[in-house]
Amino acid sequence: MYGYQTTHVAAQFGQTAFLYHIVSKWNADPDVLDNDGRSPLHWAAYKGFADCIRLLIFLDAYRGHQDKEGCTPLHWAAIRGNLEACTVLVQAGKKEDLMVTDNTGLTPAQLASDKNHCQLAFFLGNARRLLDRHCDGNSRLGKLSKLGLAPVLWCVIFVLLITYIHSVILGPNLPKLTAASGLLAWSGVFLATAGLFMFYRCSSKDPGFIRMNLHDSENKKDDEPLLNIEINHPALLAGNWSQLCATCKIVRPLRANHCSTCNRCVEQFDHHCPWVSNCIGKRNKWEFFIFLVLEVLAMLITGGITLTRILTVPFAHPSFRARIQYAFTHLVGATSFLVVDFVLFFIVFVLTVRQANQISRNITTNEMANTMRYSYLRCRW
C-alpha cells in the first residue's frame, strides 16, 4: 500500500538502528521511492528524525529527489518547522538545495515563512547568504571574507601598542618615569607582544580538524559494498548516531562537532572565533586562553600606568575639571588609549573568565549552548 518499502517505514518511525541493519545486512535500497515519489529521506525530514537523516546522507541518499508535489526533503523539513533536520540537510547540502522550488514555486525558506516558522525561515535565508559567500570564494570579496577579522584585531592591538609607547611611555607632556614605573610600563608592552605571538599561533594552528573520508559513490562498482567500512564503528553500533557526520562522511570522536564556517569537523570543538579567523578546538584552545590572559594583564597594566600618568601631571590649580580639560586638549593620545583600553578590557575580561570557568569544568562553549543535545552531559545537570 502506497508503495512503502521497509526503509520508508523505518524512516517514518525514526528507527535508525533498524534502518542501518536492513541496509547493511540485507542490502535494502536507502533511496527507494514510494508511489508519491518520496524517499526515506523525505520521511525522515518530514518527521524530524535527525539521526535517520544523518545515516541516509552518509549512505549517499540523494537530497534532490522531488516528489509529485515538487518537494525535496528540505521542503518537508521546512514545512514541519524541523530546525535540526534542516540544519543537517543544509550542512551536508549545496546552495542549489536552498533554491529548488516546489510545484507552487516556493523555496524551503519561503515555505517556512508561509507556515510561520520564523526562526527556521531566518536560518534558511541566512544559510543561503553564507553559501553564496562560500561559492564566491574565488572573488576578491570572497578571499577577504576567508581571512576573517584576524588582520583587523592584529592591527588594533598593534596601533594601541604604538599609541601607548608614543603617547604614554614617551609622552612629552607627561612626567618622567621612574625606574620602577618604567619597568612596569614596559612589562605591559612585553605582555601584549607575547599575546600577539599566542594570537598568531592560535590563528594559524590546526585546531583539531578530523580527516574527511569523502568517497565518491558515483564511481562505485556494482559489486562494491554500499557502506563504507567506518559505518561499523563501535559508537554507531552502540546507537550514538549523533557522532555520524553526514557532511565529512566520518564517525567523529565524542565531543567533536562540525563547524559550518570551516566545513570541517573539529575535535573538542569550542566555537569558531571570527576575530581569530579559526576554530577553537583541542589543539589550540590553550593558545587561545593564554592569549586572552596575556592581553587582559597587558590592558590592566597599561591602563593603570596611563591613568596614573595622567593624574600625576602637575597643575597650578589641580581641580578635577581642569585635569579633564587638559587631558582632552594636551594628552589626546594618552586619553584616547585609556578610553579604548577601558572598553576592551571589560569585554576581554568577561570572555577570559568565561573560558576559565569552562576549562575548570571541562566543558566547551558548544556543549554549554547545546547541553540537552549531548547524552553524555545530561547526567551532569
Side-chain angles (χ1 to χ4, degrees), residues 120-318:
L120 182 56
F122 175 78
F123 166 76
L124 292 172
N126 191 52
R128 182 171 174 177
R129 287 191 292 273
L130 287 174
L131 288 173
D132 278 335
R133 202 177 305 166
H134 288 317
C135 292
D136 198 30
N138 293 326
S139 67
R140 184 176 299 177
L141 182 61
K143 290 178 180 178
L144 286 175
S145 65
K146 286 184 178 180
L147 289 175
L149 299 174
V152 176
L153 182 58
W154 182 281
C155 291
V156 168
I157 297 174
F158 183 76
V159 169
L160 285 174
L161 270 177
I162 296 300
T163 304
Y164 172 70
I165 294 171
H166 179 266
S167 301
V168 178
I169 297 179
L170 306 177
N173 297 325
L174 293 171
K176 188 176 180 180
L177 286 168
T178 63
S181 60
L183 182 63
L184 185 61
W186 282 103
S187 69
V189 177
F190 172 76
L191 288 172
T193 306
L196 279 176
F197 174 72
M198 298 307 297
F199 171 76
Y200 168 75
R201 283 188 50 89
C202 178
S203 180
S204 59
K205 193 173 182 180
D206 178 359
F209 289 130
I210 303 170
R211 185 175 63 86
M212 299 175 71
N213 185 25
L214 297 175
H215 58 282
D216 188 3
S217 59
E218 295 179 359
N219 295 330
K220 285 183 181 178
K221 299 178 182 179
D222 293 337
D223 57 346
E224 286 183 348
L226 178 64
L227 295 176
N228 187 279
I229 191 171
E230 199 177 13
I231 200 68
N232 295 310
H233 193 282
L236 300 188
L237 296 176
N240 299 325
W241 301 101
S242 61
Q243 290 181 236
L244 184 65
C245 181
T247 308
C248 298
K249 304 289 186 179
I250 60 170
V251 182
R252 55 197 176 204
L254 199 66
R255 306 190 72 188
N257 199 62
H258 187 86
C259 174
S260 57
T261 305
C262 298
N263 202 30
R264 298 281 299 275
C265 281
V266 182
E267 287 190 83
Q268 293 184 25
F269 175 76
D270 190 271
H271 68 287
H272 183 90
C273 182
W275 292 102
V276 175
S277 300
N278 198 4
C279 282
I280 307 302
K282 181 179 180 178
R283 298 180 189 171
N284 68 345
K285 64 179 180 180
W286 282 108
E287 283 86 351
F288 179 69
F289 180 66
I290 294 171
F291 159 65
L292 293 176
V293 171
L294 288 173
E295 293 303 331
V296 165
L297 291 175
M299 286 187 284
L300 185 63
I301 292 173
T302 55
I305 290 291
T306 305
L307 182 62
T308 303
R309 298 271 281 159
I310 292 174
L311 294 178
T312 55
V313 174
F315 285 92
H317 302 285

Side-chain angles (χ1 to χ4, degrees), residues 66-115:
Q66 291 181 268
D67 59 17
K68 288 184 178 180
E69 298 176 8
C71 292
T72 64
L74 186 58
H75 280 95
W76 281 112
I79 289 171
R80 289 298 297 269
N82 295 321
L83 181 57
E84 188 178 4
C86 286
T87 302
V88 177
L89 288 166
V90 169
Q91 284 184 347
K94 298 179 181 179
K95 171 187 172 184
E96 291 75 17
D97 298 341
L98 294 163
M99 301 171 64
V100 177
T101 57
D102 61 8
N103 293 346
T104 61
L106 297 178
T107 64
Q110 291 169 335
L111 273 175
S113 178
D114 189 55
K115 297 294 182 179

